[in-house]
Amino acid sequence: MRNVLLILLLISLPGCQPGKESPARSTALREVKRMIDQDSFPAKYIIMYEEPSNDIGSIYMITPANSPLVEGSLERPEKVIKYKDRYICLMNPMESTDMPKNKLIEITDYPNDTTTGPVYDEIWYIGVSKNGKKHTLVSTIYKSYLTYYYYSFPQLLEYAFKDYDSTHLPRFILSSYSLVVDSSYIPKGTLYNHIQRIDGKIYYSNVLDEYFKENKDSIRKDFFAVLNGKDTLKLNIVDTITQHLFFESANNAAFFRSLTKESWDKLYDLLRDSTFYFCAEKGTHVRHSVPYSDYYWLFSIHDNCSYKYVDEVYRRGIKQSLKDLYGSYEEWDAN
């Protein structure tokens, strides 16, 4: 009897109710349902994919689709909500559990669905505050290179980055990066003493940024770097494509040796929290933080000699089913 009362008490407590959505997700769901009411989605399935989510807020990418799976992968939703004649598929790459294949088929019968529609060009983003009381909806009808990056929409930045909003934009945002290792690295082994450099890209919000002025001498005085105490890893810009600066880190073996144990976790934290832009001003350098997009959950590892893809690592907290997508299809399909 005591156990029964305890269970009833837990169910009745706020935040302990099974299946209860967070305030941010509840707000985003209401917005998606409102759009369905307005017939904004021509497709049967609506993928509601949670991208960055932190203490500030959450951002959801909303895409119409012909199946409940993410386009370009086999990622399954953790939850499906039928609303009118549409299926809202909730997805989150972080700690969550994908819906079993049989359950997904039971709800949607998608393998036998013959109502495939046209290619859908419009996508939406919904930024929501942590408490769900404020949200912003943006849409785009052309899928360009930048369309797939939420941080290219100034209206969304206040839901991802502290101290930034549509009127106070971060000058630069660390978009993504990959690791380059020596030829002695063994896949799934330790990265310690094997990392040679980091390759990646940095987004700039203003196409007329002063960084690109003709004064090349001034540009050379400015630099990007990752700080780890007294160790500094400079990021050398090697190319510029579609509002992104592509970089290769400088040769600094001491910086990577200082990572010691759990080198990937340490490196991830440093790039997230300690990437800076140093701007030359009046004979000194002024340090500006470069926030990290937290957009990607997979980071590729390449061989230093051939640049061949040899392995991958994942963002901390990523769910196991996403890692399994890069393993055995038969194992994924059986669950």
Side-chain angles (χ1 to χ4, degrees):
M1 182 64 180
R2 182 181 178 182
N3 290 339
V4 173
L5 290 174
L6 180 59
I7 292 171
L8 291 174
L9 176 61
L10 289 173
I11 291 175
S12 66
L13 287 174
C16 296
Q17 298 174 20
K20 184 176 181 180
E21 306 293 354
S22 68
R25 183 183 267 190
S26 294
T27 297
L29 268 172
R30 285 197 299 270
E31 189 67 15
V32 170
K33 290 177 180 179
R34 182 190 65 81
M35 296 169 72
I36 292 175
D37 292 338
Q38 296 177 346
D39 203 25
S40 298
F41 304 112
K44 183 176 181 179
Y45 303 96
I46 297 100
I47 306 295
M48 184 173 139
Y49 201 99
E50 188 168 351
E51 297 202 330
S53 183
N54 51 42
D55 292 338
I56 302 170
S58 300
I59 296 175
Y60 301 87
M61 183 178 184
I62 314 299
T63 53
N66 284 322
S67 86
L69 306 179
V70 172
E71 181 181 359
S73 80
L74 296 174
E75 189 174 351
R76 288 194 292 259
E78 60 180 278
K79 187 175 183 179
V80 174
I81 298 173
K82 186 173 183 181
Y83 183 71
K84 297 187 174 179
D85 59 345
R86 309 297 167 83
Y87 294 93
I88 306 172
C89 305
L90 308 183
M91 298 190 179
N92 183 347
M94 302 307 286
E95 295 171 344
S96 60
T97 303
D98 285 355
M99 180 175 287
K101 176 186 173 184
N102 291 340
K103 183 67 174 177
L104 183 58
I105 293 175
E106 178 185 332
I107 294 174
T108 66
D109 194 31
Y110 75 91
N112 298 315
D113 196 343
T114 58
T115 60
T116 56
V119 175
Y120 306 111
D121 292 327
E122 190 165 13
I123 63 174
W124 294 260
Y125 286 95
I126 302 175
V128 190
S129 61
K130 191 71 174 178
N131 61 13
K133 294 182 178 180
K134 182 179 181 181
H135 73 277
T136 301
L137 174 70
V138 298
S139 66
T140 178
I141 57 174
Y142 179 68
K143 293 184 179 181
S144 67
Y145 179 76
L146 290 178
T147 295
Y148 291 98
Y149 301 109
Y150 75 87
Y151 52 75
S152 67
F153 297 92
Q155 310 96 307
L156 298 175
L157 299 187
E158 66 179 289
Y159 303 105
F161 305 128
K162 187 178 180 181
D163 301 327
Y164 292 108
D165 56 34
S166 60
T167 59
H168 179 213
L169 301 178
R171 187 175 178 184
F172 300 103
I173 297 172
L174 177 59
S175 172
S176 64
Y177 55 91
S178 58
L179 308 181
V180 179
V181 296
D182 61 34
S183 56
S184 65
Y185 170 75
I186 300 174
K188 307 307 177 187
T190 177
L191 286 164
Y192 180 62
N193 270 346
H194 292 290
I195 304 175
Q196 299 291 294
R197 72 172 193 269
I198 303 168
D199 294 348
K201 56 186 180 182
I202 295 170
Y203 171 79
Y204 54 95
S205 57
N206 182 4
V207 293
L208 302 177
D209 193 284
E210 293 182 357
Y211 184 87
F212 300 100
K213 282 188 174 181
E214 291 299 320
N215 187 348
K216 300 298 183 182
D217 290 335
S218 176
I219 289 176
R220 290 195 185 99
K221 294 177 183 177
D222 297 351
F223 64 94
F224 295 90
V226 182
L227 304 185
N228 182 21
K230 296 181 180 180
D231 294 315
T232 299
L233 181 68
K234 285 191 175 183
L235 308 178
N236 299 322
I237 304 303
V238 296
D239 204 352
T240 305
I241 304 173
T242 321
Q243 274 185 255
H244 284 82
L245 304 172
F246 286 73
F247 67 81
E248 295 179 358
S249 67
N251 183 14
N252 188 345
F255 178 90
F256 295 114
R257 280 199 303 269
S258 70
L259 300 177
T260 61
K261 294 181 179 180
E262 305 295 339
S263 52
W264 164 239
D265 287 342
K266 178 66 174 177
L267 183 60
Y268 178 88
D269 290 342
L270 286 173
L271 284 159
R272 181 194 61 199
D273 302 328
S274 302
T275 300
F276 298 94
Y277 172 62
F278 292 83
C279 182
E281 296 181 13
K282 299 179 180 180
T284 186
H285 281 96
V286 178
R287 189 174 77 176
H288 302 274
S289 176
V290 177
Y292 176 50
S293 71
D294 224 9
Y295 177 78
Y296 293 92
W297 48 263
L298 182 144
F299 303 81
S300 58
I301 301 176
H302 301 266
D303 178 79
N304 188 41
C305 297
S306 63
Y307 208 70
K308 180 181 177 181
Y309 182 99
V310 294
D311 204 358
E312 69 277 331
V313 286
Y314 302 91
R315 187 168 69 189
R316 187 186 298 119
I318 205 71
K319 58 187 179 184
Q320 184 61 40
S321 60
L322 284 181
K323 300 178 183 180
D324 293 340
L325 290 178
Y326 289 82
S328 166
Y329 169 79
E330 289 75 16
E331 181 179 346
W332 174 91
D333 191 50
N335 296 315

